Each structure stands twice: as C-alpha cells, then as structure tokens.
Amino acid sequence: MSKLVLNHITKSFGNQKILYDVTFTVKEGEFISILGPSGSGKSTLFNLIGGILLPDKGSIQFDGKEITGKRGFISYMPQTPALMPWRNILDNVLLGQEIARKHDHKKAYEMLEKAGLKGYEKHFPYELSGGMKQRVSFIRSLLSPQSLICLDEPFSALDEFTRFEMQKWLLSIWQEYKRTILFITHNIDEALYLSDRIIVLSNKPATVQKEFIVPFLRPRKEEILHSTDFLQWKKQIYDEIKKHSVNKH
C-alpha cells in the first residue's frame, strides 16, 4: 500500500507557475529522493504535503486518507536544525512528542546514545557542532508520532566529510527504524547513496520528468561510491537533470 500519493499537483504564486501536474507515490518504508534544478519547486512541494500551502489543482492522500491542506501528518526537518536555543538537547528531541502529548524519555535517551550524543542530554544547542545539531534534529523527527519524515536538504550546510558521516549515520538509523523518508537534495551522489528511488523534477514549472530505481543492495557500502556502476548511474541522472533544466516558456 502506498503511504503517500500526490495526484496531479499544480501550484502557482501570482502569475508564476511553480509546479505542474506533479504525480508520484511513496510506499511504506521507502527512502525516496527528489532531485531537480535549483528553484524548481522542491520546497514548495514539501509545504503542500505538510498542509502549509494548498494546491491550485490536484490532491494528496496519506494512508488512504485525503490530507490536502491538512497539517500534522508529516514530520519535517528543514535545511537548518531549527532547535530551540532555550531548550536543552533532551527537551528539543522530545518536542514533537510533547505536541502529541506523549513522552518516551527512555527511547529518547536510547536514540541520543545511538547518535553518539550520550552525555549531551542537558547541553544546549550552542554547545554542539553543526553535525551534532543535525543529528538532534533528525532524532526529533524520528521521535515524533508521524510515520513520514520529509527532509529538506538537511546536510547542505555541512562540510564534505561531515556530510558523508551524516549520510552513513542516517542510513544506519533508517535501516533500524524503517521510517518512510522523502528527501530533497541537489546532490546526485547523496541521492544515489541513500535512496530506493530518485524522482527527477524539471525546472519551473516543475513536473516529474523521470523516476530512477536505485539498483544498489542494502546495506549500502562506502565502496559503491567509487564503482563504475555508481559513476554510470550518476552520469545518467546528471544528463536527465541537465536535459530539463532549461526554463520553459
């Protein structure tokens, strides 16, 4: 059964059409990446899925229910960690549960330990590095009651080494908890390394140009990044994005 279904979504702001006839599905437990040129409407898509915006046309279903324009069905992790500076790390990761009036301190401590953050529970965000803050933000998403997590370029501000370490950590946590993830990125390597499928959007007005089923077995090994197969897939996806990156008139 599909977890999330987008049916013919179209969205404009004023006279500028951002999304046109976007249709795709996300299945239970899948890790899906959305790739596309900068400014192609990827973040707008998340705002629509989260119920912050309404589409001009089309509908969104989640677990078989109509959720178009409704909030509270997804957990969202933005590009910056967006931690509450006045709350310690434990209180930050429990925020989603607090809103849902659930408190699982045991699981929070367990996940912080798995994230290498044991001993930091009572620290404040300003005391953590960028990568540590991102881990806290992701744990908050995992502890929230929603089963679909939308990640909007969560590692884009990190240096290359920290970014790869975070990718490996994200995969290990995802393998264990098997949440459904929709992941926005500009980075083809990142999409290939993390995903089950990759959805390629065109430039504005964005539409789904192609879907790629990633062939690499799980658990993913670091060595695949340097394999001939990986480089060939990267070129194929790059060519697809380039082909559709010219503005439409």
Side-chain angles (χ1 to χ4, degrees):
M1 179 179 173
S2 294
K3 193 77 182 166
L4 178 73
V5 181
L6 275 75
N7 287 309
H8 306 291
I9 296 294
T10 294
K11 180 65 180 175
S12 299
F13 294 111
N15 294 323
Q16 188 172 43
K17 193 171 279 186
I18 307 296
L19 301 168
Y20 176 70
D21 201 34
V22 172
T23 297
F24 65 83
T25 62
V26 180
K27 294 175 185 171
E28 178 87 41
E30 271 194 306
F31 196 125
I32 306 295
S33 284
I34 298 176
L35 274 172
S38 183
S40 60
K42 298 185 292 296
S43 294
T44 300
L45 204 53
F46 272 11
N47 286 329
L48 289 162
I49 294 167
I52 296 167
L53 295 174
L54 272 170
D56 302 331
K57 293 180 183 176
S59 64
I60 302 168
Q61 280 91 41
F62 183 77
D63 280 347
K65 298 174 185 173
E66 176 80 27
I67 64 160
T68 311
K70 297 178 181 177
R71 303 186 187 189
F73 289 89
I74 68 164
S75 179
Y76 175 66
M77 181 177 165
Q79 294 179 28
T80 54
L83 303 178
M84 306 293 186
W86 60 89
R87 296 177 68 120
N88 65 33
I89 299 312
L90 180 64
D91 288 341
N92 262 291
V93 300
L94 288 170
L95 184 62
Q97 288 196 344
E98 232 174 80
I99 294 166
R101 298 182 181 178
K102 290 174 63 181
H103 294 86
D104 191 342
H105 285 74
K106 184 181 176 185
K107 192 171 183 182
Y109 275 106
E110 174 192 307
M111 293 190 73
L112 284 167
E113 183 174 356
K114 284 181 179 172
L117 293 166
K118 186 178 182 180
Y120 287 92
E121 296 89 351
K122 301 300 180 185
H123 284 59
F124 287 86
Y126 74 88
E127 300 177 277
L128 274 58
S129 69
M132 291 166 84
K133 288 177 189 174
Q134 289 296 79
R135 278 179 271 167
V136 172
S137 185
F138 184 64
I139 291 167
R140 181 177 60 193
S141 297
L142 278 174
L143 285 170
S144 295
Q146 297 89 351
S147 56
L148 172 66
I149 302 175
C150 290
L151 306 179
D152 190 353
E153 296 192 78
F155 309 143
S156 60
L158 303 176
D159 64 80
E160 191 172 348
F161 178 76
T162 306
R163 182 175 186 145
F164 182 59
E165 289 302 307
M166 285 298 299
Q167 289 167 6
K168 289 195 291 185
W169 176 80
L170 174 57
L171 274 186
S172 68
I173 295 292
W174 175 77
Q175 294 258 154
E176 184 171 354
Y177 292 95
K178 279 294 181 188
R179 299 292 282 277
T180 308
I181 292 181
L182 194 56
F183 188 94
I184 286 176
T185 180
H186 282 105
N187 189 298
I188 299 172
D189 291 63
E190 185 168 70
L192 273 171
Y193 182 59
L194 295 174
S195 312
D196 295 311
R197 281 188 292 135
I198 297 170
I199 294 170
V200 176
L201 296 182
S202 69
N203 207 340
K204 289 198 292 276
T207 189
V208 175
Q209 292 295 345
K210 194 156 186 175
E211 288 190 21
F212 293 91
I213 298 171
V214 179
F216 307 118
L217 297 175
R218 296 193 185 274
R220 299 273 159 88
K221 300 191 184 300
E222 193 173 334
E223 296 75 48
I224 68 164
L225 293 164
H226 310 291
S227 68
T228 304
D229 276 355
F230 191 91
L231 294 173
Q232 286 174 343
W233 273 89
K234 181 179 177 179
K235 183 181 185 306
Q236 189 178 347
I237 293 167
Y238 173 80
D239 288 345
E240 186 67 30
I241 293 171
K242 190 177 177 184
K243 190 183 355 175
H244 299 289
S245 64
V246 179
N247 275 311
K248 300 171 190 172
H249 299 285

